């Protein structure tokens, strides 16, 4: 199975900051990488697919990049509603594994 | 508007069975692959499995942790997805999400249904 490792596991930031979360795959996955946002007690929300393509309705403050084994999710100009847990997922091969999550907290 | 509504969760004893349902609306269900994803309490997301559409003979894929115990099926005439769970273990306790596969990967999530396996 492909292992997905996110860093950091938690991150403190202030409103207005720009943050970057990293996701590393244990083997190459081309650009078959998605990002999700989850708020406490809620279902996840899809943000990005194919490493850098925004899902419909997702604001452009979210951006993704990477290919192969190393990927990043960048969130610009943080707002209170952006504080949540973020997950990456590879869908290059089965099983479609998720990273362990990165909790973004308000400083 | 795309809607995915799961049902069928509840409390079940270890070794027991449960069938989850997901009612889909707002899109052409038969066109899409569908997955199940779960989340144990306080833990991360775990992919459970997939059913492809009729064009791909409704073939399925499963995580190793559930293979041989769980079965994913669908009824396109009812716009419904199912997860039959047998030989349940305490570690299957989780919120189970029904998700739609759109362009590329998961685009929509249901609200989830909680399955608790406990004696």
């Amino acid at each position: 199975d492909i292992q997905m490792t996110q860093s950091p596991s938690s991150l403190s930031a202030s409103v207005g900051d720009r943050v970057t979360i990293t996701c590393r795959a244990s083997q190459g996955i081309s650009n078959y990488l998605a990002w999700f946002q989850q708020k406490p007690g809620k279902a996840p929300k899809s943000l990005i697919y194919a490493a850098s393509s925004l899902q419909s309705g997702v604001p452009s403050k979210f951006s993704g990049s990477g290919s192969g084994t190393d990927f990043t999710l960048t969130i610009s100009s943080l707002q209170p509603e952006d504080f949540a847990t973020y997950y990456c997922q590879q869908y290059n091969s089965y099983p479609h594994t998720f990273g362990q999550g990165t909790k973004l907290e308000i400083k | 508007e795309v809607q995915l509504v799961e049902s069928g969760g509840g409390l079940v004893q270890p070794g027991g069975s449960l069938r989850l349902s997901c009612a889909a609306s707002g899109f052409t269900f038969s066109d899409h692959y569908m997955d199940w994803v779960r989340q144990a309490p306080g833990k991360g997301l775990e992919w459970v499995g997939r059913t492809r559409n009729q064009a791909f003979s409704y073939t399925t894929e499963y995580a190793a942790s559930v293979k041989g115990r769980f079965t994913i099926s669908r009824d396109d005439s009812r716009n419904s997805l199912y997860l039959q769970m047998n030989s349940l273990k305490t570690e299957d306790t989780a919120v189970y999400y029904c998700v739609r596969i759109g362009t590329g990967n998961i685009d929509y999530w249901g609200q989830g249904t909680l399955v608790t396996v406990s004696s």
Side-chain angles (χ1 to χ4, degrees):
Chain A
D1 296 1
I2 297 175
Q3 307 304 313
M4 304 301 293
T5 303
Q6 291 181 230
S7 59
S9 295
S10 64
L11 175 60
S12 293
S14 300
V15 172
D17 283 355
R18 178 174 182 264
V19 297
T20 296
I21 298 168
T22 297
C23 179
R24 175 164 288 173
S26 61
Q27 62 190 76
I29 60 170
S30 184
N31 69 334
Y32 295 107
L33 191 283
W35 289 98
F36 306 95
Q37 175 195 65
Q38 187 177 33
K39 297 179 181 179
K42 300 295 187 181
K45 174 185 175 182
S46 299
L47 297 177
I48 286 172
Y49 66 97
S52 61
S53 296
L54 287 181
Q55 290 283 357
S56 176
V58 174
S60 58
K61 64 187 302 181
F62 294 94
S63 62
S65 66
S67 183
T69 61
D70 294 318
F71 301 86
T72 59
L73 171 70
T74 299
I75 313 169
S76 62
S77 187
L78 281 172
Q79 297 301 305
E81 61 268 25
D82 299 328
F83 292 92
T85 299
Y86 292 84
Y87 294 93
C88 62
Q89 184 203 25
Q90 69 80 20
Y91 53 100
N92 178 74
S93 63
Y94 295 103
H96 289 176
T97 42
F98 288 88
Q100 82 279 13
T102 295
K103 188 173 184 179
L104 176 56
E105 300 174 303
I106 298 178
K107 186 182 291 184
Chain B
E1 178 194 5
V2 172
Q3 285 199 315
L4 300 168
V5 180
E6 301 93 337
S7 61
L11 176 64
V12 60
Q13 292 189 336
S17 298
L18 206 59
R19 188 173 92 146
L20 305 183
S21 299
C22 171
S25 60
F27 65 102
T28 304
F29 178 75
S30 59
D31 285 348
H32 289 263
Y33 294 9
M34 299 292 294
D35 285 6
W36 288 97
V37 174
R38 69 183 180 182
Q39 186 170 37
K43 303 297 184 181
L45 300 170
E46 180 186 13
W47 180 82
V48 172
R50 166 169 292 185
T51 176
R52 298 180 179 87
N53 57 15
Q54 183 178 26
F56 290 87
S57 304
Y58 301 121
T59 50
T60 54
E61 305 285 347
Y62 296 96
S65 58
V66 306
K67 194 169 186 178
R69 299 188 300 122
F70 289 13
T71 301
I72 298 173
S73 62
R74 60 193 294 165
D75 184 339
D76 290 350
S77 68
R78 295 177 181 269
N79 292 335
S80 293
L81 176 70
Y82 305 103
L83 180 64
Q84 177 67 44
M85 303 184 293
N86 299 331
S87 303
L88 281 160
K89 306 175 182 181
T90 55
E91 53 263 40
D92 295 318
T93 294
V95 174
Y96 285 74
Y97 295 103
C98 161
V99 301
R100 189 184 86 162
I101 305 303
T103 303
N105 194 41
I106 299 170
D107 56 3
Y108 288 95
W109 297 69
Q111 87 289 350
T113 188
L114 176 62
V115 172
T116 303
V117 184
S118 175
S119 55

